[in-house]
Amino acid sequence: MSEKIADKVKNFFQKAKADAKFKKAGPGRKLTESPSSSTSAVSSRKKGEYVPPQRSTPSDVTRQSAAAALARMSDPERGTNTKISLSTLQDVVRREFDSRNTDATEVPSGPKQTESEASPHLAVKGVYFKCPFVSDEILSREEWRIKIKEFLMTALEHEAVLTTCLIIYSCNYNRTKVQDCVNILCRYIDNIIGNPSETKFHRIRCSNAAFADKVVPVLGATEFLHAAGFRQQKLEHNGAEEDFLVWSQENVEGIDTLEILRDALKSENRIELELDRNTQVLTPAQAAVNLDLPKEFYAISAEEIKREQQTRSEVAEKQLQLRTKAMREKEELREIRKYKFSLIRIRFPDGVYLQGTFSIYEKLGDVFDFVRENLEFDGLPFLLNLPTGQKFAEKDLDVTLVDLRLVPATILIFQWDPKFEEEIKASGNVTYLKPEVVLLMQQL
């Protein structure tokens, strides 16, 4: 088991190196394209993001996808939907889901929640993350920090050279201190690589201020030096014995090992967490009741929030004063910067809400992707509008949620593309979400 973990670490660095080379190679193009046409077709939008249809005429691909989706919708075996109760709807969906997915993955159970988190007024119970590199679990950030550390400490026993670099970047959370430590470690290694026979570069005095203050406190740093061939010894210094880390070529396979360590350290690779959408499906009644956000959504502490609440009266007085538009926008931006996450709810024409958690720095295109992944008929183009009727332009897909002011919580209205709306209505089917998604709907 431990050897598999070590192989996982090696594969991690190989993939990171391959990805870096791929990015340097520039955008790709089809073999049938000329270089000029390929360049003009490059988009800054990341792969997989939802691209809205052109407003003039739908493309052939769009029409084919729409036709396929409409054909599925008009399948007589599916029947048509009418307004039914929540419990009946869930029974129908569960039977359909079981019959169509006998070998499918189980419906994921939500993250673990404590009793204190189970407040009926919270719009979402917390913020949770995934880390496919370690496991398939969905945990809080703090739980992942513990689990990642345990994972890397196990890997350290079998793959010390590369694992130490991951520990330095993944298990220390003060980026400034990590960078200071990395600079010193690289200097140690570069000195030996450049002057392998110079003995003064083979010793590190443990009481040295820079070493004691900037290297020792960083988790994984001393393990890194051990992997590089340093071992602790007592040596004479100024008439007394002191602790030193002493490098010997016998402790490493060769100078190549030092170069691998240095390159791995400079690559700044770390085990990243992926934000879990914590997908939920809500009835209109639930959406009206669950309004509060948990503390994890805030970028400021509970004490700071309390102090701000105490000054609300002063803020109310300020709002009565005449202020310029620039002043109002500045205060508004300062207000939304208090948040780290945004809760997005998509309201469908049948009154059901689809809810997901996003980083405030994710883009509107990510919200479209989220909706698209949960639609029963994902071949049909759709729109998301604000409750005020305001529509988003195509350029907005590359704009962050914080810049679009969709923070800390927003409702967006789902609508099929008008070019296909009549055909959808004619099919008599009003199903929007996948059956397995509807199963997430909570009983009141």
Side-chain angles (χ1 to χ4, degrees), residues 35 39 122 263 288 295 369 373 400 437:
T39 303
L122 285 179
D263 293 343
K295 62 181 182 179
D369 287 340
E373 291 165 1
T400 62
V437 178

Side-chain angles (χ1 to χ4, degrees), residues 145 164-175 177-178 181 217-221 270:
R145 285 179 174 177
T164 55
C165 300
L166 278 182
I167 293 174
I168 290 172
Y169 284 107
S170 303
C171 299
N172 299 283
Y173 310 110
N174 186 316
R175 297 292 177 91
K177 290 184 178 180
V178 167
C181 173
V218 175
L219 187 64
R270 57 173 54 84

